[in-house]
Amino acid sequence: MSIDSLTSNNPPEDWSHIHWKPRFFAVWLGQASSLVGSALTQFVLIWWITQTVGSAQSLAIAGMMALLPQAVFGPIGGIIADRWNRRLIMISSDLISALSMVVLIVLFATEQIQLWHIYTLMFLRSTMQAFQSPAATASTSQLVPPDWLTRAAGMNQMIYGLMSVAAAPLGALAMSVFSLEGALMIDVVTALLAITPLLFYKIPQTMQTSAEQVSMWQDFRSGLTMVMSNRGLVLLYGVTLLMVAVLIPGFVLTPLLIQQEFGGGVERVALMEGVGGLGMIIGGVLISLIQFPMRRIVLVLVMFALSSAMVGFTGMVPGPLFWIAVVLWFISGVTYTIGNAPIIAIIQTIVPNQLQGRVLSLYSTMIGLAGPIALIFVGPLSELIGIRMIFIAGGFLATLVCLLGFLSPNILGIEQQPVQVEQH
């Protein structure tokens, strides 16, 4: 097998003669380092806002700037990932993020920094993530053989868990060792590490032909139509949407639960969140290494139900038994990751590669918007039923939603229902 075939833009037909692992792991490690670097510097910036401004409103705005652009621009990012060269999209996104961080470092170094500068950077970085993420995710199915899709998704989930565990301590360590500017420079270095493998390896991609090129609106509509035409996919999206919507309030209110019901301070909050992130890492490792003896869609529903139930049980733990809540939170993190990883593999299996970007971005946008919408009701709901009932009701309602998925033949047979491509 020649290097030309290894770096071709045409997807391989016979994986047995392709040395795909060096390319995949080089690209994956680069992207993983960039994600960890971004999470680390995000903590540094949030801590600077906390120390300098110290208002809940400023932190809330920072959170919105960091999350909403990914949800809003996700569909556009998915369309572009299907129309243009994904490798160049990934390079450009990381490069723009790195350059914007350099500008911010200069503003800090010259003492000209203002709060709106940081908001602008967070907005820009989140926007770049909306373009980079669909391109990277859709590329995975062309970088690994089909039987590795679930493992690759699990490895990605492991990185997200690592970010949850390591962002705060690594950020604090960086601030203790380097100046603020030096800590922020880590993000620039990790972005360059992500770009480097992409300069040497091309990303295989099934490109749209000129006859298939239509307007971006038509591309968006066709992506939505593809999802809506597949009843199993619609129902799976719906189950995930409802689960996230009812669980998000509990995740946001975890510090209040620990403070009010378990009598804990910041140390217990950090322990709870760190253990949850550790569970995500272990779940990612397990799904990457173990072939579970059940179909992927069954694994999704079982693990999501278990994860949700653990959240409900956490709300029932008596105040003096905080350690039980920590164990339950850990199990929830493990099972959530094991359940979440196969969803991406399922989509990559039933959706043609040249259309995966928009379908995956629609999924990400839906999940991204579910949280902010649900959070609108957190305040009144917590006053009405209390913090514990947010966890109990949300956890067991999400469990019920997941178990109801077993009653749907369309969900259970989703992998036998390839997405129908709309003909223009």
Side-chain angles (χ1 to χ4, degrees):
M1 181 62 60
S2 67
I3 190 67
D4 290 337
S5 60
L6 181 63
T7 59
S8 169
N9 274 348
N10 296 317
E13 297 180 356
D14 183 7
W15 288 95
S16 62
H17 296 91
I18 296 177
H19 301 295
W20 56 269
K21 288 186 179 180
R23 176 181 55 184
F24 167 69
F25 280 104
V27 173
W28 182 81
L29 286 171
Q31 296 299 311
S33 66
S34 180
L35 287 172
V36 173
S38 296
L40 183 156
T41 51
Q42 183 83 355
F43 172 83
V44 172
L45 292 174
I46 291 296
W47 185 248
W48 184 88
I49 294 174
T50 302
Q51 285 191 314
T52 306
V53 184
S55 74
Q57 182 179 6
S58 62
L59 290 173
I61 294 174
M64 296 291 280
M65 292 298 101
L67 294 176
L68 271 184
Q70 293 184 46
V72 173
F73 296 116
I76 300 175
I79 292 169
I80 290 177
D82 288 339
R83 294 167 68 101
W84 295 349
N85 189 302
R86 291 170 183 161
R87 171 172 163 261
L88 294 180
I89 292 172
M90 294 161 67
I91 292 173
S92 301
S93 299
D94 279 326
L95 186 59
I96 292 173
S97 295
L99 290 175
S100 63
M101 181 58 76
V102 170
V103 171
L104 195 67
I105 291 171
V106 171
L107 291 172
F108 270 111
T110 57
E111 299 183 353
Q112 299 181 53
I113 192 68
Q114 297 184 37
L115 193 56
W116 70 268
H117 293 147
I118 297 178
Y119 290 158
T120 302
L121 170 77
M122 289 181 171
F123 184 91
L124 181 60
R125 282 158 55 99
S126 182
T127 302
M128 289 301 100
Q129 188 65 27
F131 292 93
Q132 192 270 352
S133 183
T137 306
S139 297
T140 302
S141 61
Q142 301 294 285
L143 291 172
V144 301
D147 60 349
W148 256 74
L149 285 175
T150 301
R151 292 186 180 185
M155 291 168 63
N156 290 331
Q157 292 297 312
M158 182 176 62
I159 289 299
Y160 291 125
L162 178 62
M163 289 163 56
S164 301
V165 173
L170 287 179
L173 177 63
M175 294 176 69
S176 67
V177 175
F178 306 108
S179 63
L180 180 63
E181 294 85 354
L184 296 178
M185 184 60 71
I186 293 174
D187 191 42
V188 179
V189 174
T190 55
L192 295 177
L193 289 176
I195 292 172
T196 301
L198 297 173
L199 300 178
F200 295 94
Y201 290 116
K202 292 182 179 179
I203 303 296
Q205 181 174 350
T206 304
M207 301 292 293
Q208 292 180 339
T209 65
S210 57
E212 295 173 319
Q213 291 288 340
V214 294
S215 69
M216 292 187 67
W217 167 248
Q218 287 176 297
D219 261 351
F220 172 76
R221 187 175 61 83
S222 67
L224 185 60
T225 301
M226 279 188 294
V227 174
M228 297 303 295
S229 67
N230 187 297
R231 189 165 180 80
L233 200 56
V234 170
L235 292 173
L236 178 60
Y237 276 27
V239 166
T240 309
L241 173 65
L242 289 174
M243 185 190 74
V244 170
V246 297
L247 288 181
I248 279 290
F251 294 144
V252 172
L253 295 176
T254 300
L256 280 179
L257 177 74
I258 294 173
Q259 181 186 59
Q260 295 180 9
E261 304 297 337
F262 296 107
V266 65
E267 298 83 2
R268 285 194 168 185
V269 174
L271 174 63
M272 189 86 154
E273 295 186 351
V275 165
L278 179 62
M280 292 178 66
I281 293 175
I282 293 176
V285 172
L286 291 176
I287 194 67
S288 299
L289 298 179
I290 299 175
Q291 294 285 350
F292 286 84
M294 63 183 74
R295 290 187 296 128
R296 285 184 290 201
I297 186 60
V298 174
L299 187 64
V300 169
L301 295 175
V302 169
M303 291 300 166
F304 273 179
L306 285 173
S307 179
S308 302
M310 294 304 105
V311 174
F313 286 127
T314 298
M316 299 174 65
V317 174
L321 300 178
F322 173 68
W323 66 271
I324 295 181
V326 173
V327 172
L328 293 173
W329 210 246
F330 170 79
I331 297 173
S332 180
V334 173
T335 50
Y336 173 80
T337 301
I338 294 175
N340 192 48
I343 291 181
I344 303 300
I346 290 171
I347 295 173
Q348 290 169 331
T349 299
I350 67 175
V351 177
N353 180 258
Q354 70 270 25
L355 307 174
Q356 286 178 13
R358 71 196 76 172
V359 176
L360 288 165
S361 66
L362 283 172
Y363 176 75
S364 299
T365 295
M366 179 193 69
I367 300 303
L369 291 176
I373 292 173
L375 291 176
I376 295 174
F377 305 100
V378 165
L381 197 59
S382 62
E383 292 289 335
L384 181 65
I385 65 176
I387 300 296
R388 278 193 181 275
M389 283 305 300
I390 293 282
F391 282 76
I392 296 171
F396 292 124
L397 180 58
T399 302
L400 178 62
V401 167
C402 296
L403 293 178
L404 287 175
F406 283 103
L407 301 180
S408 170
N410 288 297
I411 290 182
L412 294 179
I414 188 172
E415 294 191 72
Q416 285 72 51
Q417 305 170 26
V419 168
Q420 299 300 313
V421 180
E422 183 184 43
Q423 299 297 321
H424 300 292

